[in-house]
Each structure stands twice: as C-alpha cells, then as structure tokens.
C-alpha cells in the first residue's frame, strides 16, 4: 500500500506532467466514474485543476491580460502552468514567477515592457494582502527636541515596493487601466520611470517619483540616522534638496514612523 504522502506527491506530478510515468501510475490506481475510462476521468480532473490556476493568473494580472488580449494571455498561461507548478495550497500564492516567464517568452518579444507590468501587478497583489501602515504621528515628532532630530531614524511603510523600468510604464499603465482614455501611440524609447508602491489606510498606493525624489527614498530605505542621510546626500548628491522633499514625503505618506538611534520605542521620544 502506497503511503498517503507518496500518493499525494505522485498525483501532483501527474497533474503537471501530462502523459508521463506518474500519470500512468495514477490512472492504474483509480476507477473511472459514469463509464469513463481512468485516463478520461483524470483528464477531466486535470482540466479542472489547471483551469483554476488559469483563473487565478487572470485575477492577479488583469492589466497584462488587457494589454495582450484573452487569447494570448490564456495561451501563455497554459505554458506558464506547465513550467511553474504550484508549490502552495493557497491559490493567492500562485503566479509570482510570471514576470520572469515573460522575460524569456519568445511570443512576447514585441512587448518588452510586459515583464515590468507583471512585476507591478504581483507587487500590488502581494501588498494588498498585508496590513495597513499607521499614519505618521506629527504630534509625537513635534515632541522630540530639535537637537535630537539628527539622531532620528525615519522608516518608509513596511509594505512597500520599488521598481525602475526602462519603459514609459506610467503611460502604459494609465492607458491600460483608465476608462474612456483614447488610445495613443507610446514611444518605448521615452522610458525610464521610477515606481513606488506602498499600503496605507486607504489601500495600496502607486506613485511615480522624480529622480531626485527616488534617490531620497532609496536613502531613507536604509535604517540610518537622519543626519547621516543629509550629510551623505549633501556631499554625494547635492541636487537632492532634503529640506524641501522630506516634508512632502511625510505629507504623501511615504514616511510612516520614526525612532531614535538609541532604539527607544517608536514615537516615544
């Protein structure tokens, strides 16, 4: 008698390896219902399982679906499912590798931005499942003596995502997601955009920071004292006006909390 774990592993392999030895073994162990041969019954089950994975991909990547159309997306999804079997019992975890898949998918060569769009969609999907970032507490910041401001460490929202693209992803995204927007030609050579995603009480947010804003964001992504950030940028990147940009970051919700370098409780200085 085959152990349950061994049988489950064999069944999983049979679903994702059509016509292989695992499928033949599984079919020898089952009985077809309603007069179906075991092979036909298993084919129906496989179709049901793979259909669920395809629907999960469509739900997670609606912008990619809109950009390429249903026929192309469904065909690509079938290839992807064959190459990337599920490793989790939760369908919400499925599809992370789609961006890497599009990078090497020959039929998508004429859409070089598609992988970056998929990266954005997976980030949105992942962040949407996480908790909200608390609002920045200006009153507690005001309670910190000004002499200690240089020792403060500011933190970006915990659930955040950075992406730089060589393509005008902002325009591509807007055209794909906006209702009633007339189609327009997009010059892929007008690329290079920065994308910052994060989650707050209003949900998952998307911004396209300018280059100087991006450089300050990346600096704040390291847990170092504020004085160190200011001094480093003043020497290495004087175009970044920290005094002007930082209040805007707080206002936009890009900074979620702070603590002192000596690691007191957040916001309790």
């Amino acid at each position: 008698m085959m152990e349950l774990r061994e049988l489950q592993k064999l069944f999983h392999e049979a679903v994702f390896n059509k016509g292989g030895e695992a499928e033949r073994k599984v079919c020898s162990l089952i009985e077809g219902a309603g007069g179906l041969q075991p092979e036909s019954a298993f084919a129906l089950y496989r179709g049901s399982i793979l259909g669920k994975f395809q629907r999960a991909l469509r739900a997670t990547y609606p912008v990619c679906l809109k950009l390429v159309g249903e026929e192309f997306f469904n065909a690509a999804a079938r290839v992807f499912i064959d190459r990337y079997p599920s490793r989790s019992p939760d369908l919400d975890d499925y599809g992370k590798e789609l961006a890497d898949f599009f990078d090497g998918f020959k039929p998508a060569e004429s859409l070089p931005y598609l992988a970056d769009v998929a990266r954005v969609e997976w980030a949105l999907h992942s962040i949407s499942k996480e908790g909200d970032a608390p609002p920045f507490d200006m009153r507690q910041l005001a309670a910190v003596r000004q002499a200690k401001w240089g020792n403060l460490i500011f933190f970006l929202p915990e659930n955040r995502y950075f992406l730089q693209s060589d393509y005008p992803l902002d325009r591509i995204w807007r055209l794909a997601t906006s209702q009633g927007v007339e189609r327009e030609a997009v010059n892929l050579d007008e690329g290079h955009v920065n994308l910052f995603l994060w989650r707050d009480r209003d949900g998952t947010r998307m911004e396209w920071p300018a280059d100087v804003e991006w450089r300050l964001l990346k600096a704040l992504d390291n847990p170092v004292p504020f004085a160190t950030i200011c001094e480093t940028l003043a020497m290495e990147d004087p175009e970044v006006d920290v005094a002007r940009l930082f209040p805007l970051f707080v206002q936009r919700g890009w900074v979620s909390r702070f603590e002192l370098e000596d690691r007191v409780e957040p916001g309790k200085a």
Side-chain angles (χ1 to χ4, degrees):
M1 177 75 66
M2 188 178 294
E3 294 287 340
L4 177 60
R5 183 175 179 84
E6 185 181 354
L7 180 61
Q8 290 172 331
K9 185 177 179 180
L10 179 68
F11 197 84
H12 182 276
E13 184 180 348
V15 168
F16 290 99
N17 291 277
K18 185 177 180 180
E21 181 63 24
E23 180 180 349
R24 287 190 288 273
K25 287 183 178 179
V26 167
C27 289
S28 70
L29 298 172
I30 63 177
E31 294 182 6
L36 286 175
Q37 293 297 315
E39 292 78 9
S40 299
F42 186 75
L44 288 173
Y45 184 82
R46 174 192 282 117
S48 175
I49 291 295
L50 298 185
K52 289 180 181 179
F53 286 118
Q54 190 173 77
R55 289 191 292 274
L57 292 173
R58 290 166 61 94
T60 302
Y61 295 98
V63 179
C64 288
L65 171 61
K66 188 170 183 180
L67 286 170
V68 303
E70 290 198 14
E71 184 177 354
F72 184 100
F73 188 90
N74 290 340
R78 287 193 292 270
V79 178
F80 175 82
I81 292 166
D82 285 342
R83 294 184 187 175
Y84 295 90
S86 175
R87 304 297 182 189
S88 168
D90 187 348
L91 271 179
D92 263 355
D93 295 335
Y94 187 65
K96 180 180 180 180
E97 304 91 346
L98 189 65
D100 293 336
F101 168 78
F102 279 144
D103 267 335
F105 189 49
K106 196 170 183 62
E109 283 182 344
S110 62
L111 306 171
Y113 52 83
L114 191 60
D116 280 350
V117 174
R119 290 184 179 96
V120 175
E121 293 208 85
W122 183 258
L124 287 170
H125 174 72
S126 300
I127 293 174
S128 69
K129 299 189 296 181
E130 303 296 338
D132 299 340
F136 189 84
D137 196 327
M138 292 297 298
R139 289 179 299 177
Q140 291 195 354
L141 178 61
V144 178
R145 289 189 293 112
Q146 193 168 2
K148 286 183 172 275
W149 266 51
N151 295 332
L152 288 173
I153 299 175
F154 293 99
F155 293 87
L156 304 179
E158 183 176 351
N159 299 315
R160 62 188 180 276
Y161 177 79
F162 293 96
L163 173 72
Q164 287 187 297
S165 177
D166 292 330
Y167 305 102
L169 216 60
D170 51 344
R171 294 181 61 199
I172 293 169
W173 189 270
R174 179 178 63 84
L175 289 171
T177 58
S178 298
Q179 297 293 332
V181 175
E182 293 185 7
R183 285 191 171 274
E184 60 183 74
V186 176
N187 183 355
L188 297 184
D189 293 331
E190 295 176 357
H192 180 70
V193 293
N194 309 309
L195 173 64
F196 181 58
L197 296 172
W198 80 101
R199 183 173 176 84
D200 63 14
R201 291 180 300 173
D202 296 322
T204 305
R205 309 284 294 277
M206 175 185 291
E207 293 280 358
W208 307 92
D211 285 343
V212 290
E213 295 174 330
W214 179 264
R215 297 197 289 271
L216 180 54
L217 270 172
K218 295 297 287 184
L220 289 167
D221 199 37
N222 299 302
V224 297
F226 192 56
T228 302
I229 290 175
C230 294
E231 292 165 3
T232 301
L233 289 174
M235 290 186 299
E236 299 179 0
D237 200 348
E239 287 187 359
V240 179
D241 187 345
V242 178
R244 180 181 66 84
L245 293 175
F246 186 76
L248 294 177
F249 282 22
V250 174
Q251 184 180 13
R252 294 171 183 171
W254 293 0
V255 181
S256 65
R257 65 185 182 91
F258 69 90
E259 60 186 46
L260 283 172
E261 189 179 9
D262 58 7
R263 296 291 187 255
V264 297
E265 287 294 315
K268 295 295 182 64

